């Protein structure tokens, strides 16, 4: 049994009110409050003028932002707290503000407001449909989720490095690539590495930009379309499925894995990166539990699958060497699957040959040892 700290009144009240902090951060970023205060402190009238919005709304918003620690007051003027210059001003190198488009997206925000109905119904009750071509959230994810996926990409590269660097080719297919960073991290392991990034057509330009930034322009290719239908090409040394299979039921995940498996070279690797259940209790597996919640809100039958399920599905595709890799501080698992080389035997059916009257090796006098 997992030990947990006792619940307190304070914890519960904090949970009740947490959504207000999220709303304030979203609105502060959306209206450009932190950018407006980046240069120098200002009072609500000046900020309202800079933002082109009403003074009453600005005054109340700035006060609330200060109440939750996102601004600091200096008499009637407001300024940014320490650290905000780097994190919340859109021109700063360490800007994480765009992450709200992923972590607190409009789509999730709306759907969470109807979570009770979604639980009762057992599926989405809003228009958000993560499986529909053109679902706008995936563009935002590709553009802004890298703050949360860099560590996973580095982990993936570390796991594959020794194997990949011993190869004479490194053709990589990244299915449901989004920003493309997982495929790029693998292709970069070898100077001759090439990557094919597959996603819906409107997402691929973002992966293209990232390929350019990663210095891979000439080694990066795209495949646009539905991963369940579009020809995958190949065969590839590595096929990566990053944070994709949880969108689907086990049956559909199996269907997609079968397509992916058919595109892997006999000595290649099929790699699943993402959240898994079953290898840690929910209390210690926040990412997997919360992604399942999101899939309840956005998909017909998606949820995080267990490592055991993946092992079973991979075995069904002939991948009999499966390694589940975990790293402290990284929520994603990297599941590497390959096929053990089959021993090649040359059988000689001596008894059948004798029955036919052929002279067997024993009789020839010049036979090799076997
Ligand atoms: C959660 S994102 C994962 C992105 C990236 N692989 C990662 O792990 O961070 C899922 C991606 O799969 C893409 N996707 C979902 N269903 C797809 C389908 N049927 N065909 C092609 N791409 C799909 C989405 O557009 C999105 O970019």
């Amino acid at each position: 049994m997992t030990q947990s700290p006792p619940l307190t009144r304070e914890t519960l009240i904090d949970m009740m009110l947490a959504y207000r902090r999220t709303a304030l951060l979203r609105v502060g970023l959306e209206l450009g409050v932190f950018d407006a205060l980046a240069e120098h402190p200002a009072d609500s009238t000046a900020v309202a003028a800079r933002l082109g919005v009403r003074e009453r709304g600005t005054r109340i918003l700035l006060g609330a932002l200060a109440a939750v620690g996102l601004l600091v007051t200096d008499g009637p003027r407001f300024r940014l707290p320490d650290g905000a210059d780097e994190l919340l001003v859109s021109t700063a190198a360490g800007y994480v503000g765009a992450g709200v488009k992923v972590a607190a997206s409009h789509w999730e925000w709306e759907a969470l407001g109807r979570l009770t109905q979604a639980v009762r119904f057992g599926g989405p009750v809003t228009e958000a449909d993560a499986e529909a071509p053109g679902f706008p959230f995936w563009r935002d994810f590709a553009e802004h989720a890298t703050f949360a996926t860099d560590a996973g990409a580095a982990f993936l590269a570390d796991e594959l490095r020794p194997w990949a660097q011993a190869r004479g080719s490194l053709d990589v297919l990244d299915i449901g690539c989004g920003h493309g960073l997982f495929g790029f991290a693998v292709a970069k392991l070898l100077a001759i590495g090439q990557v094919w990034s597959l996603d819906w057509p409107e997402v691929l330009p973002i992966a293209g930009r990232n390929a350019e930034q990663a210095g891979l322009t000439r080694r990066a290719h795209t495949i646009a379309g539905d991963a369940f239908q579009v020809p995958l090409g190949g065969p590839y040394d590595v096929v990566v499925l990053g944070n994709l299979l949880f969108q689907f039921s086990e049956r559909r995940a199996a269907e997609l894995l079968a397509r992916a498996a058919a595109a892997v070279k006999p000595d290649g690797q099929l790699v699943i990166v993402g959240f898994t259940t079953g290898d840690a209790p929910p209390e210690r597996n926040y990412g997997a539990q919360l992604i399942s919640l999101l899939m309840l809100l956005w998909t017909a039958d998606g949820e995080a699958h267990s490592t055991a399920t993946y092992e079973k599905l991979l075995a069904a595709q002939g991948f009999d060497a499966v390694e589940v890799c975990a790293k402290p501080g990284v929520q994603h698992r990297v599941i590497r699957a390959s096929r053990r080389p089959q021993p090649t035997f040359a059988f000689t059916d001596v008894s059948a040959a004798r029955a036919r009257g052929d002279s067997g090796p024993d009789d020839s006098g010049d036979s090799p040892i076997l």
Side-chain angles (χ1 to χ4, degrees):
M1 205 167 65
T2 330
Q3 294 295 319
S4 66
L7 266 187
T8 62
R9 260 176 73 84
E10 288 68 31
T11 320
L12 292 176
I13 291 169
D14 188 51
M15 280 187 190
M16 290 177 202
L17 299 176
Y19 77 112
R20 291 187 179 162
R21 288 205 301 269
T22 307
L24 283 166
L25 179 58
R26 289 178 86 220
V27 174
L29 289 161
E30 214 168 286
L31 289 176
V33 171
F34 308 108
D35 284 353
L37 289 169
E39 298 295 314
H40 39 79
D43 64 14
S44 57
T45 310
V47 175
R50 275 179 216 168
L51 301 182
V53 297
R54 296 286 171 86
E55 193 279 334
R56 174 176 183 245
T58 309
R59 177 168 33 86
I60 292 172
L61 173 66
L62 296 185
L65 286 170
V68 299
L70 287 168
L71 292 179
V72 177
T73 54
D74 183 2
R77 294 187 306 170
F78 293 85
R79 64 173 173 81
L80 298 183
D82 290 348
D85 277 342
E86 253 315 292
L87 298 168
L88 292 178
V89 175
S90 62
T91 48
Y95 180 61
V96 294
V100 289
K101 292 189 180 161
V102 174
S105 74
H106 157 79
W107 302 96
E108 184 166 354
W109 187 257
E110 294 286 304
L112 278 172
R114 304 200 57 201
L115 180 57
T116 311
Q117 293 94 318
V119 171
R120 286 207 176 104
F121 177 63
V125 292
T126 64
E127 279 178 8
D129 179 357
E131 291 175 68
F135 180 46
F137 174 78
W138 292 134
R139 272 190 62 87
D140 280 344
F141 186 92
E143 192 128 9
H144 304 298
T146 50
F147 75 96
T149 50
D150 281 347
F155 176 33
L156 169 65
D158 289 345
E159 285 301 325
L160 290 183
R161 183 169 291 106
W163 175 84
Q165 292 184 343
R167 291 182 74 78
S169 64
L170 190 58
D171 290 348
V172 182
L173 171 65
D174 184 359
I175 303 181
C177 66
H179 41 73
L181 299 193
F182 285 4
F184 303 156
V186 179
K188 283 179 91 167
L189 292 173
L190 216 55
I192 53 163
Q194 303 222 36
V195 58
W196 282 258
S197 302
L198 185 158
D199 212 299
W200 298 115
E202 67 278 6
V203 175
L204 289 175
I206 300 161
R209 277 208 307 275
N210 290 340
E212 217 173 292
Q213 273 173 18
L216 285 171
T217 317
R218 291 214 250 168
R219 299 199 262 146
H221 320 271
T222 54
I223 302 175
D226 184 353
F228 286 88
Q229 314 238 336
V230 72
L232 299 183
Y236 301 93
D237 298 273
V238 182
V239 174
V240 181
L241 291 146
N243 293 300
L244 179 62
L245 296 173
F246 58 62
Q247 267 181 239
F248 312 111
S249 64
E250 183 180 326
R251 185 186 58 76
R252 293 201 78 215
E255 197 185 317
L256 195 48
L257 267 179
R259 296 200 86 216
V264 181
K265 288 182 183 172
D267 65 342
Q269 299 235 357
L270 181 51
V271 185
I272 299 170
V273 186
F275 301 109
T276 56
T277 59
D279 42 10
E283 304 88 296
R284 286 196 282 111
N285 203 359
Y286 180 91
Q289 303 305 320
L290 273 286
I291 204 70
S292 289
L293 187 78
L294 191 56
M295 294 302 105
L296 172 70
L297 294 167
W298 282 2
T299 67
D301 44 23
E303 65 188 280
H305 301 292
S306 69
T307 42
T309 298
Y310 283 136
E311 281 166 342
K312 181 182 77 182
L313 299 182
L314 289 162
Q317 297 306 321
F319 288 85
D320 47 3
V322 177
E323 199 186 336
V324 180
C325 313
K327 182 178 176 186
V330 181
Q331 291 200 62
H332 293 158
R333 298 282 182 273
V334 169
I335 303 178
R336 300 174 53 179
S338 55
R339 306 172 179 108
R340 288 184 219 283
Q342 296 299 309
T344 45
F345 296 112
F347 289 108
T348 308
D349 187 342
V350 177
S351 53
R354 287 216 171 107
R356 282 200 309 272
D358 300 350
S359 57
D362 287 348
D363 306 321
S364 67
D366 61 357
S367 65
I369 292 169
L370 280 178

